[in-house]
Amino acid sequence: MISAEKIPNNVGLSSNKRLQRALEHWQPKYIQWWKDMGPQGFQDYHQVYVRTAVSVDPSGWAHFEYVRLPEYRWGIFLADPVHDRRIGFGDFVGEPVWQEVPGEFRNQLRRLIVTQGDTEPASVEQQRWLGQRCPSMYDLRNLFQVNVEEGRHLWAMVYLLHSYFGRDGRDEAEELLARQSGNRDKPRILDAFNEPIENWLDFFMFTMFTDRDGKSQLLSLSESSLDPLSRTTRFMLTEEAHHMFVGETGVARIVERTCQLLKDAGYSEDVRSVGGIDLPTIQKFINLWFSLSLDLHGNEVSTNAASYFGNGLKGRAQEEKWDDHRATERFYELDVPFNGGLERKTIPIRTAMNEVLRDWYVGDCEAGVHRWNKIFERFSMSDRLRLPDRKFNRSIGMFSSLHFDPFGAPLSKEEWERRRGEWLPDAADREYLLSIMARPVYEPGKFANYIAPPLRGINRQPINFEYVRTEA
Ligand code: BYC
């Protein structure tokens, strides 16, 4: 029996019998999925110091407690309503936003919500073995925080499916638990969510780059004319920020440690020989996860994207910064493959909405890489990390059938096959990373040799706090 009191929410769950009934059916399946596909080895005897959202105001947000993972209180929250909110873009700009799903947009909205929802459990599945290789208890706790919040994001999308899409929505909610990351027969919808995340460099790059796609997509969905979708995604964005913090600081701490090891060795040592992660390997993982995450923005030219925009379902990130909210007059210039080279083409901006969002995303990633590069400046080193060219290693869009190096220079298929190991992690890189992560570090305040400690602990706790404790 589901207890509305045990599920933190601001959607009136205790008086909404229909939603209660739908959740009653779904929640046991969710918990079973969490136990089977969530963090492996930490379900029964461990208590984790996590933050639980108990309301949307800042005090309810900062609620920390020790919980056993399957007992985490996954909740349902919408950001506060905006008084007299109006549609901000597309053909219906200026009209009141919708509190129900218009029949003619039902399929498109369901597809967007299902695609968004599918990524959340996928990421938990991808990360489920990482606890066994963690670099510290602090990092272990952060991993689980990210995992429970991705679980909550799944709840957020399931809430929308249950509340606004009737029978189809309930079926889709079940399917979200049935597809599995990397499963050949029933894979997750978007490619990056079928990639293995087997080591902590993958994890930090994923939370830096792929969670940042979460940020750009959620920003554009938070503009939606469907007000419940807008309010749900606005609240999700607050959680996403912590995930990107984990990724950005995780990579920064690895870079910091690598610089330190190099400095200690008088800049003469191969960092691997002293157990660190060398800069070329870090660059390869940037190349991999950035290019996979670029793909998540879809095709450069997309009639789907144009239609989402025109219908007011999915806008641009920070739509208020644009001046033409109908976007019927403007054009977008992009380089398209032509005759073995590239040709500049002008297309109506509505069909370029995936590319417009990708521009925003690339800018946000660049700022993060810039912050990493400050570490080298502090060590007076000339090395720099960089984002690869947007055409590099693409599997979606018009560059997917072509090959480019990280600087954007075209390559033949043979050259690409011959040289890809220079730019993307190969088996030897992965083997090395697994070798230095083979023994997890579970002692409070201790850190694996390849990563520096964080500047401070979580919720003002000391760095050597027991963030994960084992029951007797
Ligand atoms: N992989 O017209 P197009 C997050 C398919 S991450 C495989 O360009 P459209 C998170 C597409 O489905 C954010 N297939 O694309 C992060 C279509 O297939 P069909 C997730 C792909 O429809 C970390 C065809 O190509 N949220 O939250 O505009 C941890 C033509 O596509 C891919 C969203 O994505 C791909 N990468 O799709 C946890 C927001 N890209 O129907 C969570 C919702 C395209 O022709 N989704 N295809 O067979 C959307 O807004 C859109 O669906 C897309 C682009 C941005 C994905």
Side-chain angles (χ1 to χ4, degrees):
M1 190 59 155
I2 199 156
S3 152
E5 286 67 42
K6 281 200 181 150
I7 299 176
N9 73 93
N10 67 353
V11 297
L13 182 59
S14 57
S15 57
N16 186 340
K17 294 284 172 248
R18 202 161 59 106
L19 180 59
Q20 279 182 34
R21 267 199 305 277
L23 276 179
E24 228 158 69
H25 196 71
W26 185 80
Q27 193 211 29
K29 295 186 180 174
Y30 170 81
I31 296 292
Q32 194 56 50
W33 165 82
W34 174 268
K35 287 185 177 166
D36 294 343
M37 298 304 293
Q40 296 298 296
F42 295 90
Q43 300 279 352
D44 299 322
Y45 306 110
H46 293 81
Q47 296 203 348
V48 187
Y49 185 71
V50 283
R51 176 177 74 165
T52 307
V54 292
S55 75
V56 291
D57 57 69
S59 61
W61 188 212
H63 180 87
F64 283 81
E65 62 189 343
Y66 277 106
V67 294
R68 288 175 63 234
L69 287 177
E71 288 162 13
Y72 183 79
R73 289 185 295 152
W74 284 283
I76 306 171
F77 291 105
L78 306 182
D80 288 336
V82 173
H83 177 67
D84 192 30
R85 182 169 171 253
R86 301 273 155 169
I87 295 176
F89 62 94
D91 295 339
F92 311 108
V93 72
E95 293 181 15
V97 290
W98 316 317
Q99 299 305 331
E100 291 294 332
V101 174
E104 63 271 41
F105 305 138
R106 191 182 163 92
N107 286 347
Q108 282 189 323
L109 278 165
R110 194 183 56 208
R111 179 186 157 120
L112 283 171
I113 292 168
V114 165
T115 308
Q116 176 65 48
D118 191 70
T119 64
E120 316 290 359
S123 68
V124 176
E125 293 168 357
Q126 285 170 294
Q127 296 162 16
R128 70 183 189 278
W129 293 106
L130 288 176
Q132 323 259 350
R133 303 174 186 143
C134 70
S136 75
M137 199 172 253
Y138 164 90
D139 291 291
L140 185 64
R141 176 258 167 225
N142 282 351
L143 166 72
F144 295 152
Q145 182 73 53
V146 169
N147 291 160
V148 292
E149 286 175 357
E150 299 300 9
R152 205 202 67 73
H153 288 183
L154 169 63
W155 277 65
M157 292 301 111
V158 165
Y159 159 74
L160 294 174
L161 290 169
H162 280 170
S163 302
Y164 298 96
F165 293 89
R167 177 76 206 246
D168 307 356
R170 291 197 294 279
D171 291 346
E172 293 284 11
E174 307 249 316
E175 283 296 301
L176 288 171
L177 298 175
R179 284 185 289 270
Q180 269 179 20
S181 176
N183 185 305
R184 224 182 36 175
D185 301 323
K186 252 182 172 298
R188 290 296 175 183
I189 297 171
L190 300 175
D191 293 342
F193 294 90
N194 290 305
E195 292 289 319
I197 297 182
E198 53 185 22
N199 67 63
W200 281 74
L201 191 53
D202 278 323
F203 173 66
F204 290 136
M205 292 296 178
F206 179 93
T207 38
M208 169 75 180
F209 291 114
T210 309
D211 274 277
R212 199 171 300 273
D213 169 54
K215 178 179 171 188
S216 60
Q217 299 295 341
L218 291 174
L219 276 173
S220 64
L221 290 174
S222 71
E223 301 289 339
S224 182
S225 312
L226 180 62
D227 204 39
L229 173 59
S230 162
R231 291 175 58 198
T232 310
T233 46
R234 253 192 296 141
F235 185 67
M236 288 161 76
L237 277 162
T238 57
E239 290 155 318
E240 208 68 51
H242 173 69
H243 305 182
M244 286 178 299
F245 162 84
V246 169
E248 186 173 326
T249 56
V251 174
R253 288 163 49 217
I254 289 178
V255 172
E256 171 94 27
R257 180 66 183 150
T258 298
C259 292
Q260 189 63 49
L261 287 169
L262 278 168
K263 188 178 171 193
D264 294 349
Y267 299 102
S268 62
E269 196 70 62
D270 163 16
V271 184
R272 285 195 187 186
S273 67
V274 284
I277 304 180
D278 50 297
L279 296 175
T281 299
I282 295 174
Q283 181 63 56
K284 285 182 181 183
F285 278 78
I286 293 176
N287 294 348
L288 175 67
W289 285 104
F290 177 68
S291 55
L292 283 169
S293 306
L294 285 178
D295 279 343
L296 288 174
H297 292 76
N299 286 279
E300 288 83 1
V301 184
S302 165
T303 49
N304 288 341
S307 166
Y308 296 150
F309 188 89
N311 295 337
L313 313 182
K314 182 183 174 195
R316 288 167 287 198
Q318 297 156 327
E319 182 64 39
E320 77 282 357
K321 293 197 174 154
W322 295 80
D323 47 18
D324 169 19
H325 297 299
R326 283 185 193 273
T328 43
E329 311 290 314
R330 282 190 179 230
F331 293 87
Y332 186 93
E333 291 200 338
L334 81 169
D335 291 332
V336 301
F338 181 72
N339 262 351
L342 295 174
E343 188 190 53
R344 186 136 275 224
K345 227 179 136 183
T346 304
I347 60 168
I349 195 165
R350 279 192 180 186
T351 56
M353 283 303 170
N354 285 343
E355 197 61 5
V356 169
L357 193 57
R358 193 160 18 234
D359 287 338
W360 181 92
Y361 171 79
V362 171
D364 212 44
C365 290
E366 264 164 2
V369 173
H370 184 71
R371 289 189 289 273
W372 288 339
N373 281 334
K374 292 217 172 301
I375 302 170
F376 299 115
E377 289 173 22
R378 257 198 295 116
F379 279 85
S380 305
M381 288 167 63
S382 59
D383 303 77
R384 294 293 179 268
L385 296 168
R386 59 190 300 280
L387 296 177
D389 186 88
R390 285 158 80 136
K391 300 186 286 303
F392 171 78
N393 191 39
R394 296 292 302 279
S395 300
I396 297 286
M398 57 195 181
F399 300 112
S400 58
S401 54
L402 302 168
H403 301 292
F404 298 87
D405 74 9
F407 300 94
L411 299 172
S412 67
K413 188 170 187 310
E414 293 70 39
E415 200 175 0
W416 165 255
E417 289 304 337
R418 194 162 46 78
R419 297 187 60 192
R420 58 181 293 165
E422 287 174 35
W423 306 310
L424 291 169
D426 59 18
D429 298 324
R430 294 198 167 278
E431 216 171 285
Y432 174 68
L433 292 176
L434 284 181
S435 76
I436 58 171
M437 297 178 192
R439 281 209 311 183
V441 180
Y442 292 139
E443 203 179 321
K446 289 267 182 306
F447 289 81
N449 179 48
Y450 62 84
I451 191 165
L455 286 178
R456 57 189 71 84
I458 296 293
N459 192 31
R460 299 205 187 89
Q461 300 291 358
I463 290 172
N464 64 1
F465 185 70
E466 193 174 15
Y467 290 105
V468 180
R469 64 186 188 201
T470 318
E471 289 169 19

